[in-house]
Amino acid sequence: METGEYESIPAVVHAEPSRFLQITENEEVEPLSTIGRARQVAIAYLETLGIFPPANPPASEEEYWGFYRQALLGPEELLGQKRLPDKFWSQLEEKLGMHRVSMLGLLGLLHLPENSLQRADKRRLNQSQIEAVLTAPQDLQEQFIDLAVAHLPPAPRSKRLSPPAATPGR
């Protein structure tokens, strides 16, 4: 019979904090929203290049999203060189457990206006919904997000509400 007391508790000790470990731990506790995943990819991308978040909290939404949006810049603007470092994508794929195409798709979502990013994150809009908004002219994107937020249930609830797809041959 267990008494709730242990002689030892297993623990993994890491020499230094790791953003990549934090990303995987966050995903295990509660899956991130699509915009949350885009932020995680952006920060991993930037930190792999040696670009870290500022020590002081951002003063505005524009500053907050501006840090993540640096991942949308080309290597010349970001690093002053024509290409990303050798094996950059393979290293990032290994660290995040994602394919390059998936990472680029998530990073592309950061093109939304700041207010739209915040609302899409809060309402947990999925990648398809956000990508559809991005196809609209930029001056209409915020209105499209408003429509999505007002009329679509959050993505996890949408999944529960939609009937399972019929299996062919049954």
Side-chain angles (χ1 to χ4, degrees):
M1 181 169 145
E2 279 192 38
T3 63
E5 295 179 23
Y6 300 93
E7 286 184 32
S8 64
I9 298 173
V12 177
V13 178
H14 298 277
E16 30 183 281
S18 165
R19 178 77 62 189
F20 301 105
L21 179 62
Q22 180 185 359
I23 289 168
T24 55
E25 287 175 348
N26 286 348
E27 276 291 314
E28 287 175 10
V29 173
E30 179 183 348
L32 295 171
S33 68
T34 300
I35 296 298
R37 290 177 56 222
R39 276 193 310 264
Q40 294 294 344
V41 170
I43 203 161
Y45 178 100
L46 294 167
E47 286 191 1
T48 300
L49 295 173
I51 300 168
F52 298 92
N56 297 324
S60 66
E61 285 291 311
E62 187 177 345
E63 235 180 79
Y64 175 80
W65 291 107
F67 171 76
Y68 297 106
R69 284 187 173 137
Q70 290 179 89
L72 299 172
L73 299 173
E76 198 147 352
E77 287 177 279
L78 198 56
L79 305 169
Q81 58 192 46
K82 294 212 182 273
R83 297 179 201 220
L84 291 169
D86 287 342
K87 300 182 183 177
F88 172 80
W89 286 109
S90 59
Q91 290 172 358
L92 201 55
E93 285 175 343
E94 186 179 321
K95 287 177 181 177
L96 292 178
M98 272 182 186
H99 292 288
R100 177 181 179 173
V101 172
S102 299
M103 289 185 271
L104 290 171
L106 287 166
L107 289 173
L109 304 178
L110 297 174
H111 284 290
L112 274 178
E114 287 87 8
N115 290 335
S116 297
L117 282 164
Q118 185 178 14
R119 291 197 315 267
D121 189 27
K122 184 177 180 180
R123 286 293 296 209
R124 301 182 73 84
L125 297 182
N126 66 39
Q127 189 166 348
S128 298
Q129 292 166 328
I130 298 166
E131 286 171 345
V133 170
L134 283 168
T135 64
Q138 195 166 7
D139 60 328
L140 296 177
Q141 288 178 3
E142 289 206 35
Q143 292 173 16
F144 278 33
I145 286 287
D146 289 340
L147 288 170
V149 166
H151 298 289
L152 294 172
R157 186 161 171 239
S158 297
K159 277 189 174 176
R160 287 194 310 264
L161 293 175
S162 59
T167 307
R170 289 194 181 187

